[in-house]
Amino acid sequence: MGFGIANDAAADKVLDEQPFAPLVGMLLDQQYGMEHAFRGPWKVLTRFGNLDPREIAAANPEEFTALCSTPPAIHRYPAAMAARLQELARIIRDDYDGDTTRLWTEATSGKDLLNRLQALPGFGKQKSQIFVALLAKQLGVRPDGWEAAAGDYALEGYRSVADVVDEASLQKVREFKQAKKAAAKAQ
C-alpha cells in the first residue's frame, strides 16, 4: 500500500519512493491544506532535481527560495518554508549523515522517536505525535511504545494525516477536524 495523502498520483509516488518526502510534507502541513502540503516534496523534486537532504542543505538559499516560491508555490508562505526546509535538510545531513530513515530506524523507543521529531524545525509535540502515527500506520515503523508516543493519533479512525490513504479518508479527516473545531468553539 502506498501513500494517498497528496491525492495526486505523481506526488504520492514521490512520498512512497523518497524517505525525505513524507518528512517534508509533514513540515509543510501547517496553515495549508494537507494534500497541498504533501504535494510540496514533488514540487521540490521536479524543480530542484532531487530530494537529497545533503544537496538541499547546501543549495543557495536565494535560489532555493525562488524555486519554492514559483507558482504553484510549495506553501502559502514559501520563503519561510524554504528556509525551514533547508534547516530540516541540514539536520538530516549533519545528525543522520543524510539518511532520513535513520531518524526512525535508530530510534530506541516511541518516546525516543517523538523526541527526535520534536528536535526538528517546525515539529512541535502535536505534529511529532502525528508523524509517529503516520510512520506506524503507513510505513509500519513501530518502535516499542509508539502508541503512547503518538497519543490519540495512534487510535483507529480518521483523526489526522496519518489516517489519510485516499480521497474518502481525506474527507473523513477533514470532517473530524471540523467537528473538533466546532466543539471547541461551542465550549
Side-chain angles (χ1 to χ4, degrees), residues 61-77:
E62 289 90 28
E63 291 173 11
F64 192 74
T65 297
L67 80 84
C68 289
S69 301
T70 300
I74 66 163
H75 194 273
R76 65 194 286 195
Y77 304 113

Side-chain angles (χ1 to χ4, degrees), residues 128-141:
S128 296
Q129 287 180 305
I130 292 168
F131 199 73
V132 168
L134 183 144
L135 288 169
K137 292 178 176 184
Q138 302 217 20
L139 296 178
V141 175

Side-chain angles (χ1 to χ4, degrees), residues 55-138:
E55 291 189 37
I56 291 171
N60 174 291
E62 289 90 28
E63 291 173 11
F64 192 74
T65 297
L67 80 84
C68 289
S69 301
T70 300
I74 66 163
H75 194 273
R76 65 194 286 195
Y77 304 113
M81 287 301 176
R84 195 173 273 179
L85 174 50
Q86 282 197 287
E87 178 58 24
L88 176 66
R90 278 190 283 280
I91 291 169
I92 297 299
R93 177 194 66 196
D94 297 346
D95 296 355
Y96 302 99
D97 296 322
D99 181 356
T100 307
T101 63
R102 287 184 53 202
L103 177 68
W104 52 83
T105 60
E106 294 178 359
T108 58
S109 66
K111 184 171 177 37
D112 182 37
L113 176 56
L114 184 67
N115 290 337
R116 287 166 177 248
L117 290 166
Q118 286 184 268
L120 301 175
F123 280 74
K125 183 177 181 186
Q126 183 179 30
K127 184 176 282 202
S128 296
Q129 287 180 305
I130 292 168
F131 199 73
V132 168
L134 183 144
L135 288 169
K137 292 178 176 184
Q138 302 217 20

Side-chain angles (χ1 to χ4, degrees), residues 5-6 28 32-41 43 73-74 174:
I5 299 168
L28 298 174
Y32 199 48
M34 71 182 89
E35 72 274 24
H36 298 289
F38 280 85
R39 289 177 193 154
K43 292 174 187 174
I74 66 163
R174 278 216 175 94

Side-chain angles (χ1 to χ4, degrees), residues 119-172:
L120 301 175
F123 280 74
K125 183 177 181 186
Q126 183 179 30
K127 184 176 282 202
S128 296
Q129 287 180 305
I130 292 168
F131 199 73
V132 168
L134 183 144
L135 288 169
K137 292 178 176 184
Q138 302 217 20
L139 296 178
V141 175
R142 295 182 169 140
D144 287 341
W146 77 267
E147 298 97 331
D152 284 352
Y153 299 106
L155 300 173
E156 289 298 316
Y158 300 97
R159 290 174 168 69
S160 73
V161 69
D163 302 307
V164 176
V165 294
D166 56 21
E167 177 66 35
S169 55
L170 173 66
Q171 191 56 42
K172 288 179 183 176

